[in-house]
Amino acid sequence: MGAAGENRKTWHYLDPMRMTQTSKPAFSVKLAETQTELWAAQRLRYTVFVEELGGGGALVDHDSRLEQDRFDPFFDHLLLIDEVKQDVVGVYRLMRRDQAEAAGQFYSADEYDLSVLLRSDRNLLELGRSCLHREYRGGMAMFHLWSGLARYIKEHRIDVLFGVASFHGTEIAALTEALSLLHHRHLAPADLRVQAQAASFQPMDLLAMEQLDIRRAMLSVPALIKAYLRLGGFVGDGAFIDHDFNTTDVCLILDTARMNDRQARIYQGPAG
């Protein structure tokens, strides 16, 4: 779950809406260190990706309610913990280039040709399995998780973040406007433009720009994707239909050098 002997840190945050009388931080963010912490992350992922979204997978453990795969041992697992309830309420999977080499590939290489990124000498970080418990969505929880992620990025001197993000469902007809909008307005520049694998390439330029109802299209884009677009993120060329997870995936790419100061402040969230 990370480099052996790596110094682990826990970051605490105060949320004025959820303070206790003892002023105990409402949230902490840390990397999973134990099997028990990994199970907690996988159990939250099961709640969100399997029970809520209808996903599956060969290694999903329905008896123990764990969403897991062969890549988990190679990722770092960033945990958002509700310090009052002592529950893991948010997770991120993080994989650096050296971890991908140990695993044999990045997770998203099954869906996207990552050659344009791999040929560069830039420090890469793959993000995945991002989720929050339903009770913590729409508040400050995601910003706390992002703040922990920002610290990880700084410590490892990451240049480029990428990973698949999902639309629920696999019916392309329902996603035509949203996918077209992403293609026309947010397609990655050539030096970042990963491409969906040829065998499963789903074009995203399904409608011309003048045919789009932009407001309606953007309303149908999931919140996490919109958040990365606001940060200056891009999408790769083509989508991938993931029948195991009942999703249509796009690849998001974020170049930290292209983020302006305002975007960086949004990304880092509250001061820790």
Side-chain angles (χ1 to χ4, degrees):
M1 294 189 297
E6 184 177 334
N7 182 31
R8 301 291 182 168
K9 295 182 176 66
T10 301
W11 301 293
H12 293 274
Y13 302 98
L14 299 177
D15 187 337
M17 299 300 293
R18 305 185 65 249
M19 290 285 289
T20 67
Q21 290 182 343
T22 59
S23 295
K24 185 177 182 180
F27 295 106
S28 63
V29 182
K30 64 169 295 185
L31 295 176
E33 299 179 81
T34 67
Q35 185 64 53
T36 298
E37 289 176 335
L38 176 57
W39 283 335
Q42 293 171 333
R43 194 163 294 114
L44 176 61
R45 285 160 38 185
Y46 186 94
T47 297
V48 174
F49 296 121
V50 180
E51 293 182 336
E52 288 188 42
L53 300 179
L59 297 182
V60 171
D61 185 340
H62 294 286
D63 292 333
S64 299
R65 300 179 65 250
L66 301 176
E67 192 280 301
Q68 55 191 1
D69 65 19
R70 78 169 186 87
F71 289 93
D72 274 331
F74 301 97
F75 274 91
D76 280 336
H77 300 264
L78 190 67
L79 312 178
L80 177 69
I81 300 169
D82 182 325
E83 289 284 356
V84 177
K85 295 182 178 180
Q86 284 297 295
D87 288 336
V88 172
V89 299
V91 298
Y92 247 123
R93 286 202 318 187
L94 314 175
M95 179 179 276
R96 304 183 307 274
R97 192 192 287 258
D98 60 310
Q99 294 166 311
E101 290 171 353
Q105 65 173 81
F106 282 108
Y107 168 83
S108 55
D110 285 341
E111 299 187 13
Y112 282 84
D113 180 351
L114 306 176
S115 299
V116 68
L117 299 181
L118 297 175
R119 286 195 300 265
S120 75
D121 60 357
R122 307 186 73 192
N123 287 335
L124 306 176
L125 181 68
E126 181 180 46
L127 309 179
R129 294 296 200 276
S130 171
C131 63
L132 290 174
H133 189 281
R134 62 170 63 89
E135 294 180 4
Y136 295 81
R137 297 169 199 164
M140 294 297 295
M142 194 67 197
F143 286 100
H144 294 308
L145 191 57
W146 276 5
S147 293
L149 177 59
R151 285 164 171 76
Y152 185 97
I153 290 166
K154 182 176 180 180
E155 289 176 8
H156 292 281
R157 300 180 180 179
I158 299 300
D159 299 312
V160 177
L161 294 75
F162 70 97
V164 296
S166 303
F167 289 83
H168 182 50
T170 59
E171 294 296 327
I172 294 300
L175 305 175
T176 296
E177 283 197 325
L179 293 177
S180 299
L181 179 67
L182 293 181
H183 177 87
H184 291 305
R185 286 202 163 180
H186 301 285
L187 186 64
D191 62 314
L192 299 174
R193 193 179 302 165
V194 304
Q195 189 170 61
Q197 294 287 2
S200 54
F201 186 93
Q202 168 59 55
M204 293 171 61
D205 55 338
L206 302 170
L207 293 173
M209 191 66 190
E210 57 269 20
Q211 294 177 277
L212 297 179
D213 181 324
I214 295 175
R215 182 177 183 277
R216 184 173 64 197
M218 187 55 75
L219 285 173
S220 65
V221 175
L224 182 64
I225 296 177
K226 284 190 282 196
Y228 278 105
L229 297 180
R230 286 194 295 269
L231 295 174
F234 304 101
V235 297
D237 186 14
F240 177 89
I241 299 176
D242 188 338
H243 293 287
D244 284 342
F245 269 80
N246 190 32
T247 60
T248 299
D249 298 343
V250 297
C251 191
L252 289 168
I253 311 103
L254 182 64
D255 184 345
T256 59
R258 286 176 162 98
M259 292 173 65
N260 61 37
D261 290 341
R262 178 178 178 275
Q263 290 167 335
R265 287 196 298 271
I266 293 172
Y267 173 69
Q268 292 166 2

